[in-house]
Amino acid sequence: MSTNKPIPKLLSLIPALIGMIWTVYSLQFLNQGIFWDLGIYEKAIDVFNSGGNPYELNGYLSFVYHPLVLRFMALFGNYLGMALMGAYLASLLFFISSLGSNRSWWLYSFLAFAYCGTGTISIDSGNVTVFFHLVLLGLLLRSIGDDTLRGAPSKLTAVFIVTVVVFSLVKPYMLAYLLIPLVSTWKTSKQKSIWSLTLMAGSLLAATLLISSLYFGAEFQSFLSAVQGQTIGKRDLGYGLVMYFYEYYLSAGSLIYRAFVLHFAILGAVILATLFLAKRSGLLNSARFTLLLYFLLTILNPRLKVYDLFPALIALFIFASPLKRGLLAKWLFVVAYALSLSQLVGTPLFAHTGILSDPLNVYYLTMGLVFLGLLPSFLSKPSYPLKR
């Protein structure tokens, strides 16, 4: 039997309408091309299989994956694109099936997808990252309802840990998601078994990356140069909190590291404060808290790209479930989501000047307002379960 509470129709209609506007508006992004990142993967493999250096591609986008990942992709040869498309479709279907019949989850996933066209751009890019996120979120959503991350070491928990480790070979920052099973089992009867499994998996990944990095030598250095060139050299840094400090310290040359120190210091403090309040309120023992932790660990990545932001918003919106909370939380969410309209380029709503003219400000104002609506949850016991 469904435990969903009816979503207030009037308040849910406003963000839903904005979401539909963004969905239609974002269709124009398809005219700029599709699967451009997938094209980079195919080009790199062609160069590699021809004896060239895939880390020295001409153009704005570079191939920035570990030599182990390069060799795995090379196994598919000319069929790499087909293989990845099949994997992308499978991950989408897996995530969609994880939503089940929960109408709230469907609504919040749609709103995250539509928000500023982030979902369209993410899927359209063909970058593997967004599909990795959808798989991991699908696993967490499946865990909500039976509390498998807090219960006996189940197959689903093991699958989540192993999946994070595998994905971290491609995207090393995803290793941070191993904190989710660690936090979820803190001071429970299953802490020892889950922590042992998690630490063993993390150690195996670290050893694999270290040994392979030493083995590949010069090729690994080319990989690091490609990463540095793409991020710092081409300033392809995305929408991380670090960007608020990056421009200021960039002019200081060697002091640029301070921008990243501030990024991690601020978000680290937010995460610690959230964990403290969650433990105090009892939310830490809720399986749905894993979604908020997923969101926080995602924005901890200083190179927060659109294909990271979109899944992060799914996790935040579903965890917050603002349209099932009090009146203040509902209106905060409506206002937060409506801020996205300031990014509708070519329309009277587009903000040419002011604080809303910068998408970075809009993104963090939206997340901040949604987070503000969560404060009552951290000051009292949760009033409802987030189950199917």
Side-chain angles (χ1 to χ4, degrees), residues 107-230:
L107 173 61
Y108 294 126
S109 296
F110 164 71
L111 293 178
F113 174 86
Y115 180 83
C116 290
T118 55
T120 300
I121 297 173
S122 300
I123 302 298
D124 191 31
S125 72
N127 191 288
V128 297
T129 309
V130 65
F131 301 99
F132 285 179
H133 279 300
L134 292 178
V135 171
L136 293 176
L137 284 174
L139 290 171
L140 292 182
L141 290 175
R142 288 168 185 262
S143 75
I144 295 175
D146 57 11
D147 284 353
T148 51
L149 285 179
R150 296 194 296 110
S154 65
K155 291 182 179 179
L156 187 58
T157 307
V159 168
F160 178 82
I161 294 172
V162 172
T163 303
V164 168
V165 170
V166 173
F167 288 174
S168 296
L169 284 169
V170 184
K171 296 289 182 177
Y173 65 84
M174 286 190 168
L175 187 63
Y177 297 135
L178 288 181
L179 288 174
I180 293 176
L182 295 182
V183 171
S184 300
T185 55
W186 173 253
K187 290 187 176 180
T188 68
S189 59
K190 304 305 175 183
Q191 178 178 343
K192 183 177 180 180
S193 57
I194 294 297
W195 280 46
S196 297
L197 177 61
T198 303
L199 295 176
M200 182 176 65
S203 299
L204 180 61
L205 172 66
T208 301
L209 290 175
L210 177 60
I211 294 173
S212 61
S213 300
L214 294 174
Y215 175 78
F216 291 114
E219 187 176 350
F220 181 72
Q221 292 302 317
S222 295
F223 156 65
L224 292 180
S225 296
V227 173
Q228 183 178 10
Q230 183 66 43

Side-chain angles (χ1 to χ4, degrees), residues 82-98:
M82 186 182 302
L84 287 176
M85 288 292 289
Y88 293 170
L89 178 60
S91 65
L92 278 172
L93 293 176
F94 176 77
F95 174 76
I96 290 173
S97 67
S98 300

Side-chain angles (χ1 to χ4, degrees), residues 111-113 115-119 121-122 129-130 133 137 173 177 238-240 294-295 298-299 301 303-317 359-360 362-364 366-367:
L111 293 178
F113 174 86
Y115 180 83
C116 290
T118 55
I121 297 173
S122 300
T129 309
V130 65
H133 279 300
L137 284 174
Y173 65 84
Y177 297 135
Y239 301 100
Y294 191 94
F295 162 75
T298 300
I299 65 172
N301 174 21
R303 189 173 180 256
L304 184 73
K305 301 290 287 183
V306 170
Y307 43 70
D308 297 303
L309 178 63
F310 156 51
L313 290 178
I314 293 178
L316 177 63
F317 288 176
L360 188 68
V362 174
Y363 297 159
Y364 282 95
T366 294
M367 292 185 284

Side-chain angles (χ1 to χ4, degrees), residues 274-296:
T274 301
L275 290 174
F276 172 77
L277 292 175
K279 184 178 184 299
R280 186 173 175 228
S281 65
L283 278 173
L284 192 66
N285 295 322
S286 170
R288 71 188 182 94
F289 182 71
T290 58
L291 293 174
L292 182 60
L293 191 54
Y294 191 94
F295 162 75
L296 291 172

